[in-house]
Amino acid sequence: MKLAYWPGCVSRGFTPELHGSMELVAPKLDLELVELDRANCCGAGVIAEHNQELADTLNARTFAMAQSVDGAAGMMNICSTCQGAQSECQTRLDASSDYRQTVNSHLSDENLAYEKTAEFWNKNFLWLLVEEIGLEKLSSKIVRPLEGLRIAPFYGCYIVRPTERLGYAEYPNRDKYLDILIEVLGAQPVEYAGSHKCCGFPVITMNRTTSLRQAGRHLADAIDAGADCLVTPCPLCHLNLDMQQPEAAKYVERDLNVPVLHLPQLVGLALGLEPKELGMNRHVVKTKEVQRKVTQLAAA
Amino acid sequence: MAESYTLKLRRYDPESGDPAYWSQYDVSLDPERSVLQGVLNARDDEDGSIAIRCSCRAAICGSCAVRINGKTALACNTQMGDAQAKAGEGNPIVIEPMSNMPVIKDLIVDMDAVHWKKIQRVVPWLLPEGDPPDREYIVPAEAMIDVTQTMACIQCGACVSACLALEVDPDFVGPAASAKAYRFVGDPRDGQHEERLKDLAEDPHGIYDCTHCFACVEVCPKDVAPMDQIMRLRRKATGDHGIKDKNNGYGHEHAFVNIIERYGTLHEPQLLPRSFGDGSLIKGQTEPSAVKQLIENFPTVVRAVTAGKVPLKPHTILHPKLPDQDKVKTIFKTIEAKDERLEINMYIIGESAEDEAEGKPETGGEA
């Protein structure tokens, strides 16, 4: 399947292991990724907070670039936040042809225009795995079922709410995909209070206490529920849950130390890729114990 | 046709001294009937001690918000059949009191202690400037349409219950009160726009304490979208009044926007100092308050670099611009040069506006 691929900013910035692992996983799943390397930031909700027309125009630009990729089935992102921010803009763009025209007029310089069509879609890798690739096909490619691993899913707000804007009418189980996927990969999903809650990242510079209390609380809940690690489709959640974890521990006044994997890393492990090539040695919270369990599986 | 359902209710009476417990009740009613009716049947037929607050039974009075299968909703506005589908076949429908507010008894929470206190905190009445006019106030229709969405609030507290920021910071002003604040900040008759915005921007538990999680948007039975109103308050605070708050709200927004205008994609290393310096990289590295915050973040940066997460390479430090960044910059310049921000409000035009109006829905300008 050929896809217009938007990796996002953070996956190439502060979580380069995410973009790197996606590039390794794609060929294993017969995905041909055409990277939108001229496309701009989705705005992460912040540009929309500043000026809606600006955010909508920037994302219309990205959509237009994706639409001009010859033979692409659709557009894929690997960031919950990109998904949410872009879906929000797309909803507004699709609601009014007058508005679309105004927005497109800003893109005419580059001969770009976003067209509202029933065929165009933009899906997070998580949605794509379940809806486009299919769990059966994914299962057939698994060479290393992740048996014995207890994994806590962490979805990220932007792909679970608001359901009305995120295609839940057509795909009502999108808020269960991570759980389903963990099982398909042979591991055991861990149920805990924080799976669909907020990681706190959006306010890390504005209210550090609120931000890190949120991250700390969810991590603690996952640990108490017996998780070996968490998995998330959102690099911004990853920043607060992994990079900030030692700080979050101070705000909830307890030890945490639980690794957090990116979704493509987890899929990659099951597809036979090695932890090191998936960038698992470049996390702040060491993934050694997860690596040990996975390597034991290979030996068994 | 009537069907059988099992309701699992969280029971608690603080005055009893006993801990909370679960009670299950089997009820029989049509799937189209409301969860509220189910609870009332259980109370009338099985256990008269069940406590729930309700009045209109028609999603108008806002009395009966509870958590149904973990999600806050009006009990009168949720059908039994839908609640069962969410619970999953064979599972009981779980009904609990709202979160973030103390329980008075069973499904009744203390709205005064949290919700109403927060509503009062934002001065929920009009503060006009000068003497009232001889006759009525004349305001442009568009201005009132702009605040219609916040006026639809029925004060049910569902958003307060769902708010994930309130869960960790009970002092947060919260979604309902913020929406109420916009009701007056968006009203041209009010004379205290800047004071209201400054108050909520400078409060560490004000508009910049919202974590943008959409929980309130998801549960609101009246589509008030409180989080969207918080974003509009922020937009007016920074864009229209240039309020440079000490919580870095202004700084974060300007840091982010400036970086994208300059490079096209985000350059994280600049985001912190710029956020701490009202958007300015120099200010963010020289002002004492900014430096203090940078130092606070230093251990995180060191850990990230040591882990190899953030490679110390030229492209990390000198962020490359997009190939067509001049075009992206032009987009910024053109749109920011407009006298009025163009804002399209889905609440007013509706998501299927285009199909209904054959491509001619109205778009509204934001003053």
Side-chain angles (χ1 to χ4, degrees), chain A residues 21-35:
Chain A
S21 49
M22 188 64 238
E23 285 197 317
L24 292 178
V25 165
K28 296 237 171 219
L29 293 169
D30 307 321
L31 299 178
E32 186 194 338
L33 304 182
V34 182
E35 191 176 328

Side-chain angles (χ1 to χ4, degrees), chain B residues 236-364:
Chain B
K236 284 189 182 288
T238 60
D240 296 346
H241 298 275
I243 296 166
K244 295 181 178 170
D245 60 286
K246 61 177 184 301
N247 298 309
N248 302 324
Y250 179 97
H252 181 256
E253 183 194 314
H254 282 76
F256 200 102
V257 172
N258 293 348
I259 292 170
I260 307 307
E261 181 172 2
R262 192 159 177 185
Y263 301 99
T265 56
L266 185 63
H267 186 216
E268 295 98 329
Q270 289 191 35
L271 194 60
L272 278 186
R274 278 183 188 268
S275 294
F276 300 151
D278 292 334
S280 152
L281 197 53
I282 296 166
K283 214 170 149 186
Q285 296 176 91
T286 51
E287 281 209 344
S289 69
V291 173
K292 191 173 156 242
Q293 294 183 79
L294 277 181
I295 292 170
E296 195 178 22
N297 278 280
F298 192 64
T300 306
V301 176
V302 172
R303 280 187 212 108
V305 173
T306 318
K309 199 170 174 53
V310 187
L312 282 178
K313 286 184 182 155
H315 75 269
T316 322
I317 297 150
L318 303 166
H319 193 59
K321 288 181 182 176
L322 281 180
D324 311 308
Q325 186 51 26
D326 55 322
K327 307 279 187 201
V328 176
K329 212 166 187 163
T330 309
I331 295 174
F332 274 80
K333 293 267 178 269
T334 315
I335 295 174
E336 306 246 52
K338 290 187 174 184
D339 291 335
E340 266 192 3
R341 287 188 301 270
L342 178 60
E343 185 179 339
I344 188 163
N345 190 337
M346 302 302 298
Y347 178 80
I348 294 161
I349 73 160
E351 294 206 14
S352 52
E354 189 154 273
D355 307 331
E356 285 161 20
E358 292 177 333
K360 285 287 167 199
E362 56 180 291
T363 54

Side-chain angles (χ1 to χ4, degrees), chain B residues 127-256:
Chain B
L127 296 169
E129 206 158 4
D131 296 328
D134 292 339
R135 300 185 59 177
E136 69 269 42
Y137 283 99
I138 310 284
V139 292
E142 307 82 57
M144 293 323 281
I145 289 173
D146 183 53
V147 293
T148 311
Q149 192 172 14
T150 57
M151 287 158 77
C153 176
I154 55 171
Q155 309 296 337
C156 67
C159 58
V160 174
S161 165
C163 179
L164 296 176
L166 267 175
E167 195 177 89
V168 298
D169 179 10
D171 291 332
F172 174 40
V173 64
S178 300
K180 180 57 88 181
Y182 187 77
R183 184 295 118 274
F184 297 103
V185 167
D187 190 325
R189 295 170 299 173
D190 193 273
Q192 305 278 318
H193 293 167
E194 185 157 337
E195 290 78 0
R196 287 177 187 275
L197 288 166
K198 210 164 182 176
D199 172 36
L200 289 169
E202 291 292 2
D203 186 338
H205 313 286
I207 48 176
Y208 294 116
D209 199 11
C210 164
T211 67
H212 210 278
C213 75
F214 303 96
C216 57
V217 178
E218 180 65 18
V219 300
C220 177
K222 294 290 169 186
D223 291 334
V224 170
M227 194 199 92
D228 291 0
Q229 312 310 328
I230 295 175
M231 295 309 131
R232 297 166 99 187
L233 288 169
R234 289 184 182 180
R235 190 144 67 225
K236 284 189 182 288
T238 60
D240 296 346
H241 298 275
I243 296 166
K244 295 181 178 170
D245 60 286
K246 61 177 184 301
N247 298 309
N248 302 324
Y250 179 97
H252 181 256
E253 183 194 314
H254 282 76
F256 200 102

Side-chain angles (χ1 to χ4, degrees), chain B residues 53-111:
Chain B
R53 191 191 275 135
C54 67
S55 178
C56 77
R57 308 189 187 195
I60 293 166
C61 75
S63 300
C64 67
V66 292
R67 272 184 299 154
I68 304 168
N69 302 313
K71 189 168 167 180
T72 312
L74 295 176
C76 72
N77 199 28
T78 307
Q79 295 186 352
M80 288 297 288
D82 292 342
Q84 184 63 65
K86 278 276 177 226
E89 214 185 304
N91 296 324
I93 296 167
V94 180
I95 305 171
E96 300 167 89
M98 286 199 280
S99 294
N100 293 329
M101 287 177 268
V103 174
I104 293 175
K105 186 169 186 279
D106 297 339
L107 302 175
I108 300 176
V109 297
D110 190 349
M111 300 276 285

Side-chain angles (χ1 to χ4, degrees), chain A residues 6 9-10 12-17 37-41 43-54 56-58 61 65 88 91-92 94-100 102 106-107 109-110 116 157-158 160-165 196-198 200 202-203 205-208 210 213-214 217-218 238-239 242-244 246-247 250-251 262 281-284 286, chain B residues 71 86 164-165 167-170 204-205 208-215 217-218 223 228 231 234-235 238 247-249 252-254 256-257 260 264-266 268-269 271-272 275-276 293 296-297 299-300 303-304 307-311 316 322-324 327-328 330-332 334-336 338 341-346 349-351 353-355 359-361 363:
Chain A
W6 169 240
C9 302
V10 177
R12 293 172 293 181
F14 269 16
T15 61
E17 68 279 1
D37 50 10
R38 306 177 92 81
N40 46 258
C41 171
V46 184
I47 295 184
E49 172 188 328
H50 173 74
N51 186 316
Q52 237 181 43
E53 186 188 0
L54 181 57
D56 293 350
T57 306
L58 291 174
R61 184 175 178 271
M65 286 177 172
E88 182 181 331
T91 307
R92 284 193 290 263
D94 286 353
S96 155
S97 57
D98 282 355
Y99 184 59
R100 225 162 30 246
T102 308
H106 302 308
L107 305 175
D109 237 17
E110 295 183 84
K116 179 187 175 181
C157 299
Y158 281 76
V160 291
R161 289 177 295 269
T163 46
E164 206 184 342
R165 189 192 290 155
H196 294 72
K197 291 187 177 177
C198 181
V203 293
T205 57
M206 298 184 280
N207 194 324
R208 198 172 160 82
T210 293
R213 265 194 205 156
Q214 285 191 325
R217 188 179 280 205
H218 309 325
H238 196 270
L239 289 180
D242 174 62
M243 193 170 83
Q244 296 281 7
E247 295 296 313
K250 295 177 194 165
Y251 284 81
H262 298 284
N281 293 339
R282 290 161 70 179
H283 290 203
V284 165
K286 300 289 166 251
Chain B
K71 189 168 167 180
K86 278 276 177 226
L164 296 176
E167 195 177 89
V168 298
D169 179 10
H205 313 286
Y208 294 116
D209 199 11
C210 164
T211 67
H212 210 278
C213 75
F214 303 96
V217 178
E218 180 65 18
D223 291 334
D228 291 0
M231 295 309 131
R234 289 184 182 180
R235 190 144 67 225
T238 60
N247 298 309
N248 302 324
H252 181 256
E253 183 194 314
H254 282 76
F256 200 102
V257 172
I260 307 307
T265 56
L266 185 63
E268 295 98 329
L271 194 60
L272 278 186
S275 294
F276 300 151
Q293 294 183 79
E296 195 178 22
N297 278 280
T300 306
R303 280 187 212 108
K309 199 170 174 53
V310 187
T316 322
L322 281 180
D324 311 308
K327 307 279 187 201
V328 176
T330 309
I331 295 174
F332 274 80
T334 315
I335 295 174
E336 306 246 52
K338 290 187 174 184
R341 287 188 301 270
L342 178 60
E343 185 179 339
I344 188 163
N345 190 337
M346 302 302 298
I349 73 160
E351 294 206 14
E354 189 154 273
D355 307 331
K360 285 287 167 199
T363 54

